[in-house]
Amino acid sequence: MDEAQLAQVESLCETLYTGKPSSNGEKITREEAQSRLLSLQSSASFIPQCQYILDRSQSQYALLVASNSLTELITSHWNNFTIAQRIDIRNYVLGYLANNGPTLQDFVTLSLIKLVCRITKLGWFDDATHRELTEDVTKFLQATVDHCILGLKILNQLVDELNIPTSGRTLTQHRKTSVSFRDLCLFKVFQLGLTTLKQLQTRAIATANHRQEVILGEQALGLTVRCLNFDFIGTNPDESTEDVGTIQAPTNWRPVLQDPGTTELLLDFYANTDPPRSNKAMEAVILICSVRRSLFPSDKEREAFLGRVMTGIRELLKNQTGLQHQDNYHQFCRLLGRLKANYQLSELVKTEGYLEWLELAANFTTQSIRNWQYSTNSIHYLLALWGRLVAAVPYVRPETGAKGHVQALENHVLHVVECYIESMLGSVETVLRSEGALEDPLEDDGSLMEQLDRLPTICRFQYNSVATILVAKFDPLLDKYRELMGHLMSSSTESAPPNVALQVAILEGQLTWLTYIVGSIVGGHSWSSSRIGNGEETMDASLSKRVLQLAQMIDYRLTNSNGVGKADSKLEVAMLYYFQNFRRVYMFMWEQSSSGGSSISTMGSMKLESVPSTKQKVYQNMFENMGLGDHTVVANLIVTKIGKNLKFWPDEHDIVAKTLNLLTDMAGGYSSSKLLLTLDTVKYLASHHTHEEFPFLNVPFNARHRTTFHAILVRLLLSPGGEEKLGLTFDKFMEPIVETMSQLGALDSSQLRSEAARMPLIGVFRDLRGVAMSLHNRRTFGMIFDILEPRHLPLLSKVADLWYDQPDVMISLLRFMHEFCHNKANRVNFDQSSPNGILLFRATSDVVCAFGRRALATAAPASGDIYKMRYKGMSIALSVLNSAMSGNYVCFGVFALYNDPALDNALDISLKMALSIPLDHVVAYPKLSKSVFGFMEIIFRSHIKTTMALDTSVFMQLMNAVHEGLQSSDAQISSMCANSIDHLATFYYENSGKDKPEVHNLNKHLAAQPNLFSSLTATLFNLLLFGAPQNHWAVMRPMLSLMLASESSFTAYKDHLMSSQDSANQGKLNEAFNKLLADVNRSLESANRDRFTQKLTAFRVSTRGFLTL
């Protein structure tokens, strides 16, 4: 590289990162600039150019590109370098950082640091020099302040690099390096972080200014947290969760972690700094509090450690230290939440000042809850603390630890729960009067559910008292709401005077909170033997009665006003949450209770069964105390509410979705589904499933809910005894759908393509798809097939021909066809003498061909979402054909025998569709690529004769696509392409030399493209040796068939690979190839394939260690 080339690189970098045009006036887009600069990462020969840029360039962006390129090159071409060369590159980058680091931009520094750490990781076992990076960095820490900051940044990145697996390396390699780093260096790195903190605390770094002290503090605390968060034992913790697990620190860390000075140092940093340093210090305290129990040699040391932590927390709570900062506050709540998770209650109660700590924690919790607008995302940690404390009470003797600790806990918990209820009820008016300035906690679904998950344990600890509080809150609100509803009558809340509307909004908001809280508590009912029969069901009944009365009240107003008088949508959603929890706890016993109490047997041996069990008594007691009727009355009330929601909330997507989820869950349960069949409301739903009765079916946004709705109803109808209990046959149920199809079928082409037909078409196909989804056996599938064939199936291809350019109609049609011809559970299984399988495939072929012909004749849209407008339809059409061809219900040889063009037409159109899409677009859309490559796999597997008969240019286009898909990072796609290659190679090996038209055609293709097998062999072996691990199983399957089909291709690849290695590696490689081929027979039997696959795995492992690219 010379100065002119350097200037060109700098100009491209400027364009890439800032968007400015190049200095020579050439107009280059960012994409073009990126493409040109990526060439620096294409070969190890570009390493000198990258070094030249680092040495000569003044552009920070050019330095960044050079550094990133070096990292990528060294990771990809690691085996190309000798051990000495690797050490030279490492020393060069370290020297570069030492000389230039303080003057570089942060992003360049970080990139160079990443490069050093990557070299250290990859070369960890090559030479002791790599394992001495910690000692080298110590020199940075002892130099200037800027170098000290740089050293801490290197250590931070080093811990991350050694803790996080690198793409392309096996987990075994990663853990081996990680464990060695943990044993040799991690503790020293941890100590360096703590030492820096001590120096900052004592102001020992005299030359540092305030800004540098802040940066040093951030880096040292970050390093401490990273070291404690290290994956010590290879559990690969989930990084997405905020909850800390147990820290499995090694035993040699004990003196530092047990040292009171360590915790005091971190707490001192927390108290005397601002975020982000203070909250990082608190995070480190949380991690230290989470160290494993066995780290302490005895309980005495562990108790002393816990005592110090508790004292520290007490002091922080007394003084409210740092809690005015949101980040500090959040981390402190996490600390309180973690405390009980890592220590048993029996240990906590023995600590000095436990009762004071308990009181302070309760006061802090209530204060936090009262200030809910600042602590919404942290409250659930505090609730988790109280939940864990009360859950442990049965396992602690009352005389253990502080006197009266159980009573104290009872009082504090009750106080916390009461405060929570009052604060949440009070939040409603505060939010409404803020006129949008405050965020409504009811709308923060994540935090709301976190809190509700914690409530049952806490509330059931003092359930009598909590239930009394809730009833005392609920009753006046219900009375007031009833009174207001009496005034409003059938008018909407919006039309009421402003002061009345505000009153209603406040009442509904407060009732929403109470409904959520009751739903949460009822959902926490335990059927375990230790809790059952203690009378909790009577309190569940008392609370549930009020929620159900509220539901009746809302329904009454809704019905009387014909949908005008609606409650707040949030209250409706809360009601559905309650119903879900009630269903889960109290609707699974129906069959036992109804049979247990009423069945009378004359046989003596059966008399015992007529005595209700404890569970049945609890269940019956629940409904008796509720006072609304037996379980069928309550279930009917819930289903009536479901029906009202579907009828009167057509435009509320969230309510419709959650209502249908509830109905789905009820229909899916064994007992609850049987109960549903006895309800009048369900009979009404099943016999009136049209948009006239339920307007939500006609809202375009709810199109997918139509499918769910019909799937639920058909599942109930076709369950054992369903038709009899609902008083409805399947044919009768299908009448509205069939009638719509008849009306549509009677229209001429112009009427069918008119806008008036759009919604009926979408609706009928969505409904049919829902029906087809619930057909799981031969009998039920035959019922729908008899209804549709022959009268209504021709409509499908007619619609595909007319509406091909309208995605909403076509997607509905194609999704139905995909479900309809999918042979799940072997349901598409006709009699031997039946032509129905062929008729079904014909109908499928007609739809795919009608759509495909029209789509291919139309140019791709120049603008807009090309996937939605064009590719989505093609993708589903291919999936439809894939399902039909792999369904195993059609003898495809019949079509050629009787000159039926259905199969040939479908294959022809589908192939044209698949090949009409640019390959880069196929790869860019995952669903599309699965359809396209799935189709290719099927034609190579089952229709090889047709595939071989293609023109050579088309066949090679097909093979090019398979070759490209083989290299996909998606294991499913590469597996389909590998199978396609396997089918082709197997066919060639087994039929080579035979006088068959398809063999002659294949030979013709191979004559035109003689290097086909050799290029596939090379790609497969390269993927095996150098590719990502997830593709290995896929790429190994076709290797044996390909080697047998073309031994010369394998020999050529072997010779090429040998020639690319030095003499030392050639001997090792030759030995590895000999082992690979030993004891492998020239056959494609399963046992031989499996043996060869195992050998390929061993071959890959042995060669990866020394091969150079």
Side-chain angles (χ1 to χ4, degrees), residues 86-99 116-117 119-120 124 127-144 147-148 150-155 158 181 185 188-189 192:
R86 295 166 185 171
I87 293 170
D88 287 344
I89 296 171
R90 167 197 181 275
N91 292 340
Y92 166 78
V93 181
L94 267 180
Y96 188 90
L97 277 169
N99 296 326
V116 171
C117 296
I119 294 170
T120 302
W124 189 259
D127 190 274
T129 308
H130 294 295
R131 299 191 288 277
E132 291 165 4
L133 182 61
T134 316
E135 283 74 17
D136 293 338
V137 171
T138 310
K139 297 170 188 172
F140 281 79
L141 301 179
Q142 293 163 354
T144 66
H147 281 92
C148 185
L150 204 57
L152 289 171
K153 285 181 178 178
I154 294 172
L155 293 176
L158 182 65
F181 172 73
C185 304
K188 185 173 182 183
V189 172
L192 286 172

Short mmCIF file of all heavy atoms in Angstrom, two decimals, residues 86-99 116-117 119-120 124 127-144 147-148 150-155 158 181 185 188-189 192:
data_model
loop_
_atom_site.label_atom_id
_atom_site.label_comp_id
_atom_site.label_asym_id
_atom_site.label_seq_id
_atom_site.Cartn_x
_atom_site.Cartn_y
_atom_site.Cartn_z
N ARG A 86 2.10 -14.88 15.61
CA ARG A 86 0.98 -14.49 16.48
C ARG A 86 1.47 -13.60 17.61
O ARG A 86 0.84 -12.59 17.95
CB ARG A 86 0.29 -15.74 17.05
CG ARG A 86 -0.38 -16.61 16.00
CD ARG A 86 -0.74 -17.98 16.56
NE ARG A 86 -1.27 -18.88 15.53
CZ ARG A 86 -1.49 -20.17 15.71
NH1 ARG A 86 -1.21 -20.73 16.87
NH2 ARG A 86 -1.98 -20.91 14.74
N ILE A 87 2.60 -13.99 18.20
CA ILE A 87 3.15 -13.18 19.31
C ILE A 87 3.60 -11.82 18.79
O ILE A 87 3.40 -10.79 19.46
CB ILE A 87 4.31 -13.95 19.99
CG1 ILE A 87 3.77 -15.20 20.69
CG2 ILE A 87 5.04 -13.05 20.98
CD1 ILE A 87 4.82 -16.15 21.19
N ASP A 88 4.17 -11.81 17.58
CA ASP A 88 4.61 -10.52 17.00
C ASP A 88 3.43 -9.58 16.80
O ASP A 88 3.52 -8.38 17.11
CB ASP A 88 5.31 -10.77 15.65
CG ASP A 88 6.69 -11.38 15.82
OD1 ASP A 88 7.21 -11.32 16.95
OD2 ASP A 88 7.23 -11.92 14.83
N ILE A 89 2.32 -10.11 16.27
CA ILE A 89 1.15 -9.25 16.04
C ILE A 89 0.63 -8.74 17.38
O ILE A 89 0.29 -7.56 17.54
CB ILE A 89 0.04 -10.04 15.30
CG1 ILE A 89 0.51 -10.45 13.90
CG2 ILE A 89 -1.24 -9.20 15.18
CD1 ILE A 89 -0.42 -11.41 13.18
N ARG A 90 0.58 -9.63 18.38
CA ARG A 90 0.11 -9.23 19.71
C ARG A 90 0.99 -8.11 20.28
O ARG A 90 0.48 -7.09 20.77
CB ARG A 90 0.15 -10.46 20.63
CG ARG A 90 -0.01 -10.17 22.11
CD ARG A 90 0.45 -11.39 22.93
NE ARG A 90 0.32 -11.18 24.35
CZ ARG A 90 1.22 -10.59 25.11
NH1 ARG A 90 2.34 -10.11 24.57
NH2 ARG A 90 1.03 -10.47 26.42
N ASN A 91 2.29 -8.32 20.20
CA ASN A 91 3.20 -7.31 20.76
C ASN A 91 3.12 -5.99 20.00
O ASN A 91 3.23 -4.91 20.59
CB ASN A 91 4.65 -7.83 20.75
CG ASN A 91 4.83 -8.98 21.73
OD1 ASN A 91 4.03 -9.15 22.64
ND2 ASN A 91 5.88 -9.77 21.54
N TYR A 92 2.92 -6.11 18.67
CA TYR A 92 2.78 -4.90 17.85
C TYR A 92 1.58 -4.07 18.31
O TYR A 92 1.67 -2.86 18.51
CB TYR A 92 2.63 -5.29 16.38
CG TYR A 92 2.15 -4.16 15.50
CD1 TYR A 92 3.02 -3.14 15.09
CD2 TYR A 92 0.80 -4.09 15.11
CE1 TYR A 92 2.56 -2.09 14.31
CE2 TYR A 92 0.34 -3.04 14.33
CZ TYR A 92 1.22 -2.05 13.92
OH TYR A 92 0.77 -0.99 13.16
N VAL A 93 0.42 -4.76 18.51
CA VAL A 93 -0.81 -4.03 18.90
C VAL A 93 -0.66 -3.47 20.31
O VAL A 93 -1.07 -2.33 20.59
CB VAL A 93 -2.05 -4.94 18.79
CG1 VAL A 93 -3.31 -4.17 19.16
CG2 VAL A 93 -2.19 -5.50 17.38
N LEU A 94 -0.07 -4.26 21.23
CA LEU A 94 0.13 -3.76 22.59
C LEU A 94 1.04 -2.53 22.60
O LEU A 94 0.78 -1.54 23.28
CB LEU A 94 0.74 -4.85 23.47
CG LEU A 94 -0.22 -5.75 24.27
CD1 LEU A 94 0.57 -6.77 25.07
CD2 LEU A 94 -1.10 -4.93 25.20
N GLY A 95 2.12 -2.61 21.79
CA GLY A 95 3.03 -1.46 21.68
C GLY A 95 2.33 -0.25 21.08
O GLY A 95 2.53 0.89 21.52
N TYR A 96 1.50 -0.52 20.07
CA TYR A 96 0.75 0.56 19.42
C TYR A 96 -0.17 1.25 20.44
O TYR A 96 -0.26 2.48 20.49
CB TYR A 96 -0.07 -0.01 18.27
CG TYR A 96 -0.75 1.03 17.40
CD1 TYR A 96 -0.11 1.56 16.30
CD2 TYR A 96 -2.02 1.49 17.72
CE1 TYR A 96 -0.72 2.52 15.50
CE2 TYR A 96 -2.65 2.45 16.94
CZ TYR A 96 -1.99 2.97 15.83
OH TYR A 96 -2.60 3.93 15.06
N LEU A 97 -0.83 0.43 21.27
CA LEU A 97 -1.71 0.99 22.29
C LEU A 97 -0.92 1.79 23.33
O LEU A 97 -1.36 2.87 23.75
CB LEU A 97 -2.48 -0.14 23.00
CG LEU A 97 -3.73 -0.66 22.30
CD1 LEU A 97 -4.22 -1.94 22.97
CD2 LEU A 97 -4.84 0.38 22.32
N ALA A 98 0.24 1.25 23.71
CA ALA A 98 1.06 1.95 24.71
C ALA A 98 1.52 3.31 24.19
O ALA A 98 1.53 4.31 24.92
CB ALA A 98 2.26 1.09 25.09
N ASN A 99 1.88 3.36 22.90
CA ASN A 99 2.42 4.61 22.33
C ASN A 99 1.32 5.60 21.92
O ASN A 99 1.49 6.81 22.05
CB ASN A 99 3.30 4.29 21.11
CG ASN A 99 4.52 3.49 21.51
OD1 ASN A 99 5.06 3.67 22.60
ND2 ASN A 99 4.95 2.57 20.65
N VAL A 116 -6.35 -7.41 20.71
CA VAL A 116 -5.35 -7.99 21.62
C VAL A 116 -5.96 -9.16 22.40
O VAL A 116 -5.37 -10.24 22.53
CB VAL A 116 -4.83 -6.92 22.62
CG1 VAL A 116 -3.96 -7.58 23.69
CG2 VAL A 116 -4.03 -5.87 21.90
N CYS A 117 -7.18 -8.93 22.90
CA CYS A 117 -7.83 -9.95 23.72
C CYS A 117 -8.21 -11.18 22.89
O CYS A 117 -8.14 -12.31 23.37
CB CYS A 117 -9.06 -9.37 24.42
SG CYS A 117 -8.63 -8.05 25.59
N ILE A 119 -6.55 -12.27 20.21
CA ILE A 119 -5.29 -13.00 19.99
C ILE A 119 -4.92 -13.79 21.25
O ILE A 119 -4.52 -14.95 21.19
CB ILE A 119 -4.15 -12.02 19.62
CG1 ILE A 119 -4.43 -11.37 18.25
CG2 ILE A 119 -2.81 -12.74 19.59
CD1 ILE A 119 -3.49 -10.21 17.92
N THR A 120 -5.10 -13.15 22.40
CA THR A 120 -4.78 -13.80 23.68
C THR A 120 -5.62 -15.05 23.87
O THR A 120 -5.13 -16.11 24.27
CB THR A 120 -5.02 -12.82 24.85
OG1 THR A 120 -4.23 -11.66 24.63
CG2 THR A 120 -4.69 -13.45 26.18
N TRP A 124 -4.09 -18.89 23.66
CA TRP A 124 -3.89 -19.11 25.10
C TRP A 124 -2.97 -20.30 25.40
O TRP A 124 -2.10 -20.22 26.26
CB TRP A 124 -5.25 -19.32 25.77
CG TRP A 124 -5.19 -19.33 27.26
CD1 TRP A 124 -5.21 -20.41 28.08
CD2 TRP A 124 -5.09 -18.19 28.12
NE1 TRP A 124 -5.13 -20.03 29.40
CE2 TRP A 124 -5.06 -18.67 29.45
CE3 TRP A 124 -5.02 -16.83 27.90
CZ2 TRP A 124 -4.97 -17.82 30.55
CZ3 TRP A 124 -4.94 -15.97 28.99
CH2 TRP A 124 -4.90 -16.46 30.29
N ASP A 127 1.49 -20.46 23.68
CA ASP A 127 2.74 -19.97 24.26
C ASP A 127 2.43 -19.26 25.57
O ASP A 127 1.39 -18.62 25.71
CB ASP A 127 3.42 -19.00 23.29
CG ASP A 127 4.84 -18.65 23.73
OD1 ASP A 127 4.97 -17.72 24.53
OD2 ASP A 127 5.78 -19.31 23.27
N ALA A 128 3.35 -19.34 26.52
CA ALA A 128 3.14 -18.71 27.84
C ALA A 128 2.98 -17.19 27.73
O ALA A 128 2.36 -16.56 28.58
CB ALA A 128 4.30 -19.04 28.76
N THR A 129 3.54 -16.61 26.65
CA THR A 129 3.46 -15.15 26.48
C THR A 129 2.01 -14.67 26.50
O THR A 129 1.70 -13.63 27.08
CB THR A 129 4.11 -14.74 25.13
OG1 THR A 129 5.40 -15.32 25.06
CG2 THR A 129 4.20 -13.24 24.99
N HIS A 130 1.12 -15.44 25.83
CA HIS A 130 -0.30 -15.04 25.77
C HIS A 130 -0.93 -15.04 27.16
O HIS A 130 -1.81 -14.23 27.44
CB HIS A 130 -1.08 -15.98 24.85
CG HIS A 130 -0.67 -15.88 23.42
ND1 HIS A 130 -0.86 -14.75 22.66
CD2 HIS A 130 -0.06 -16.79 22.59
CE1 HIS A 130 -0.40 -14.96 21.44
NE2 HIS A 130 0.09 -16.18 21.37
N ARG A 131 -0.46 -15.96 28.00
CA ARG A 131 -1.06 -16.06 29.34
C ARG A 131 -0.49 -15.02 30.30
O ARG A 131 -0.90 -14.95 31.46
CB ARG A 131 -0.84 -17.48 29.90
CG ARG A 131 -1.49 -18.55 29.03
CD ARG A 131 -1.50 -19.90 29.71
NE ARG A 131 -0.20 -20.54 29.80
CZ ARG A 131 0.38 -21.25 28.82
NH1 ARG A 131 -0.26 -21.41 27.68
NH2 ARG A 131 1.56 -21.79 28.98
N GLU A 132 0.46 -14.22 29.80
CA GLU A 132 1.09 -13.19 30.65
C GLU A 132 0.53 -11.80 30.38
O GLU A 132 1.12 -10.79 30.77
CB GLU A 132 2.61 -13.19 30.43
CG GLU A 132 3.28 -14.45 30.97
CD GLU A 132 4.70 -14.62 30.43
OE1 GLU A 132 5.16 -13.72 29.69
OE2 GLU A 132 5.32 -15.65 30.74
N LEU A 133 -0.62 -11.73 29.68
CA LEU A 133 -1.17 -10.42 29.35
C LEU A 133 -1.47 -9.61 30.61
O LEU A 133 -1.26 -8.39 30.64
CB LEU A 133 -2.46 -10.57 28.51
CG LEU A 133 -3.10 -9.27 28.06
CD1 LEU A 133 -2.17 -8.46 27.18
CD2 LEU A 133 -4.41 -9.53 27.31
N THR A 134 -1.92 -10.29 31.66
CA THR A 134 -2.23 -9.58 32.91
C THR A 134 -0.99 -8.86 33.44
O THR A 134 -1.06 -7.71 33.88
CB THR A 134 -2.76 -10.56 33.97
OG1 THR A 134 -3.70 -11.44 33.35
CG2 THR A 134 -3.43 -9.84 35.11
N GLU A 135 0.18 -9.55 33.38
CA GLU A 135 1.43 -8.91 33.85
C GLU A 135 1.80 -7.73 32.95
O GLU A 135 2.24 -6.68 33.43
CB GLU A 135 2.59 -9.93 33.85
CG GLU A 135 2.58 -10.90 35.02
CD GLU A 135 1.52 -11.98 34.88
OE1 GLU A 135 1.01 -12.18 33.75
OE2 GLU A 135 1.16 -12.60 35.90
N ASP A 136 1.59 -7.90 31.63
CA ASP A 136 1.90 -6.80 30.71
C ASP A 136 1.02 -5.58 30.99
O ASP A 136 1.48 -4.44 30.91
CB ASP A 136 1.70 -7.26 29.26
CG ASP A 136 2.72 -8.32 28.86
OD1 ASP A 136 3.77 -8.39 29.50
OD2 ASP A 136 2.43 -9.09 27.92
N VAL A 137 -0.25 -5.85 31.30
CA VAL A 137 -1.18 -4.74 31.56
C VAL A 137 -0.82 -4.03 32.86
O VAL A 137 -1.06 -2.83 33.01
CB VAL A 137 -2.64 -5.27 31.60
CG1 VAL A 137 -3.61 -4.19 32.07
CG2 VAL A 137 -3.06 -5.75 30.21
N THR A 138 -0.22 -4.77 33.83
CA THR A 138 0.20 -4.14 35.09
C THR A 138 1.14 -2.96 34.82
O THR A 138 1.11 -1.95 35.54
CB THR A 138 0.89 -5.18 35.99
OG1 THR A 138 0.05 -6.34 36.08
CG2 THR A 138 1.11 -4.64 37.39
N LYS A 139 1.93 -3.07 33.74
CA LYS A 139 2.84 -1.95 33.38
C LYS A 139 2.03 -0.72 32.99
O LYS A 139 2.42 0.41 33.28
CB LYS A 139 3.76 -2.38 32.24
CG LYS A 139 4.70 -3.53 32.59
CD LYS A 139 5.42 -4.06 31.37
CE LYS A 139 6.20 -5.33 31.69
NZ LYS A 139 6.74 -5.97 30.48
N PHE A 140 0.90 -0.94 32.30
CA PHE A 140 0.01 0.17 31.96
C PHE A 140 -0.51 0.84 33.24
O PHE A 140 -0.55 2.06 33.35
CB PHE A 140 -1.19 -0.32 31.15
CG PHE A 140 -0.92 -0.57 29.68
CD1 PHE A 140 -0.29 -1.71 29.25
CD2 PHE A 140 -1.32 0.37 28.73
CE1 PHE A 140 -0.05 -1.94 27.91
CE2 PHE A 140 -1.10 0.14 27.38
CZ PHE A 140 -0.46 -1.02 26.97
N LEU A 141 -0.90 -0.02 34.21
CA LEU A 141 -1.49 0.50 35.45
C LEU A 141 -0.49 1.33 36.27
O LEU A 141 -0.88 2.20 37.04
CB LEU A 141 -2.03 -0.64 36.31
CG LEU A 141 -3.11 -1.54 35.67
CD1 LEU A 141 -3.53 -2.65 36.62
CD2 LEU A 141 -4.34 -0.73 35.27
N GLN A 142 0.80 1.03 36.08
CA GLN A 142 1.84 1.74 36.85
C GLN A 142 2.38 2.96 36.12
O GLN A 142 3.22 3.69 36.66
CB GLN A 142 2.98 0.78 37.17
CG GLN A 142 2.56 -0.34 38.13
CD GLN A 142 3.52 -1.50 38.14
OE1 GLN A 142 4.47 -1.54 37.35
NE2 GLN A 142 3.29 -2.46 39.04
N ALA A 143 1.92 3.20 34.90
CA ALA A 143 2.41 4.36 34.11
C ALA A 143 1.50 5.57 34.38
O ALA A 143 1.01 5.74 35.49
CB ALA A 143 2.43 3.98 32.64
N THR A 144 1.26 6.37 33.37
CA THR A 144 0.44 7.58 33.54
C THR A 144 -1.01 7.22 33.84
O THR A 144 -1.42 6.07 33.65
CB THR A 144 0.48 8.45 32.28
OG1 THR A 144 -0.18 7.73 31.22
CG2 THR A 144 1.91 8.76 31.86
N HIS A 147 -2.73 5.86 30.81
CA HIS A 147 -2.35 4.47 30.56
C HIS A 147 -3.04 3.53 31.55
O HIS A 147 -3.39 2.40 31.21
CB HIS A 147 -0.83 4.31 30.65
CG HIS A 147 -0.11 4.75 29.41
ND1 HIS A 147 0.36 6.03 29.25
CD2 HIS A 147 0.18 4.10 28.26
CE1 HIS A 147 0.93 6.15 28.05
NE2 HIS A 147 0.83 4.98 27.42
N CYS A 148 -3.22 4.01 32.78
CA CYS A 148 -3.93 3.21 33.78
C CYS A 148 -5.37 2.94 33.33
O CYS A 148 -5.87 1.81 33.44
CB CYS A 148 -3.92 3.95 35.12
SG CYS A 148 -4.64 3.00 36.46
N LEU A 150 -6.38 2.93 30.26
CA LEU A 150 -6.25 2.01 29.13
C LEU A 150 -6.07 0.57 29.62
O LEU A 150 -6.68 -0.37 29.09
CB LEU A 150 -5.05 2.44 28.28
CG LEU A 150 -5.01 2.04 26.82
CD1 LEU A 150 -6.24 2.57 26.09
CD2 LEU A 150 -3.75 2.62 26.16
N GLY A 151 -5.25 0.39 30.66
CA GLY A 151 -5.02 -0.95 31.22
C GLY A 151 -6.30 -1.56 31.77
O GLY A 151 -6.58 -2.75 31.57
N LEU A 152 -7.10 -0.74 32.47
CA LEU A 152 -8.36 -1.26 33.01
C LEU A 152 -9.33 -1.64 31.90
O LEU A 152 -10.06 -2.62 32.00
CB LEU A 152 -9.00 -0.20 33.93
CG LEU A 152 -8.29 0.02 35.28
CD1 LEU A 152 -8.87 1.22 36.00
CD2 LEU A 152 -8.38 -1.22 36.17
N LYS A 153 -9.31 -0.85 30.80
CA LYS A 153 -10.17 -1.18 29.66
C LYS A 153 -9.75 -2.53 29.05
O LYS A 153 -10.60 -3.34 28.66
CB LYS A 153 -10.09 -0.09 28.60
CG LYS A 153 -10.85 1.19 28.96
CD LYS A 153 -10.75 2.23 27.86
CE LYS A 153 -11.55 3.49 28.19
NZ LYS A 153 -11.41 4.53 27.16
N ILE A 154 -8.43 -2.76 28.98
CA ILE A 154 -7.94 -4.04 28.44
C ILE A 154 -8.40 -5.19 29.32
O ILE A 154 -8.89 -6.22 28.83
CB ILE A 154 -6.39 -4.03 28.33
CG1 ILE A 154 -5.92 -3.01 27.28
CG2 ILE A 154 -5.86 -5.43 27.96
CD1 ILE A 154 -4.42 -2.79 27.24
N LEU A 155 -8.30 -5.03 30.63
CA LEU A 155 -8.71 -6.10 31.55
C LEU A 155 -10.21 -6.36 31.46
O LEU A 155 -10.65 -7.51 31.50
CB LEU A 155 -8.31 -5.74 32.99
CG LEU A 155 -6.81 -5.70 33.28
CD1 LEU A 155 -6.54 -5.24 34.69
CD2 LEU A 155 -6.16 -7.07 33.04
N LEU A 158 -10.74 -8.27 28.34
CA LEU A 158 -10.16 -9.61 28.45
C LEU A 158 -11.12 -10.55 29.19
O LEU A 158 -11.32 -11.70 28.77
CB LEU A 158 -8.82 -9.53 29.19
CG LEU A 158 -8.05 -10.86 29.34
CD1 LEU A 158 -7.62 -11.38 27.98
CD2 LEU A 158 -6.83 -10.69 30.24
N PHE A 181 -8.04 -19.62 32.19
CA PHE A 181 -7.97 -18.20 32.53
C PHE A 181 -8.48 -17.97 33.96
O PHE A 181 -7.90 -17.22 34.74
CB PHE A 181 -8.80 -17.39 31.53
CG PHE A 181 -8.95 -15.94 31.90
CD1 PHE A 181 -7.88 -15.06 31.77
CD2 PHE A 181 -10.16 -15.44 32.37
CE1 PHE A 181 -8.02 -13.72 32.11
CE2 PHE A 181 -10.31 -14.11 32.71
CZ PHE A 181 -9.24 -13.24 32.57
N CYS A 185 -5.54 -16.41 36.05
CA CYS A 185 -5.49 -14.95 35.99
C CYS A 185 -6.66 -14.21 36.63
O CYS A 185 -6.51 -13.06 37.04
CB CYS A 185 -5.42 -14.49 34.52
SG CYS A 185 -4.04 -15.19 33.61
N LYS A 188 -6.37 -12.54 40.04
CA LYS A 188 -5.44 -11.41 40.03
C LYS A 188 -6.09 -10.18 39.39
O LYS A 188 -5.92 -9.06 39.87
CB LYS A 188 -4.17 -11.79 39.26
CG LYS A 188 -3.11 -10.70 39.32
CD LYS A 188 -1.80 -11.13 38.71
CE LYS A 188 -0.77 -9.99 38.86
NZ LYS A 188 0.50 -10.31 38.23
N VAL A 189 -6.87 -10.40 38.31
CA VAL A 189 -7.58 -9.30 37.65
C VAL A 189 -8.57 -8.67 38.62
O VAL A 189 -8.69 -7.44 38.73
CB VAL A 189 -8.30 -9.81 36.38
CG1 VAL A 189 -9.19 -8.73 35.79
CG2 VAL A 189 -7.29 -10.28 35.34
N LEU A 192 -6.77 -6.56 41.04
CA LEU A 192 -6.33 -5.29 40.44
C LEU A 192 -7.47 -4.27 40.44
O LEU A 192 -7.26 -3.08 40.69
CB LEU A 192 -5.84 -5.53 39.01
CG LEU A 192 -4.48 -6.22 38.85
CD1 LEU A 192 -4.21 -6.58 37.39
CD2 LEU A 192 -3.35 -5.32 39.37
#
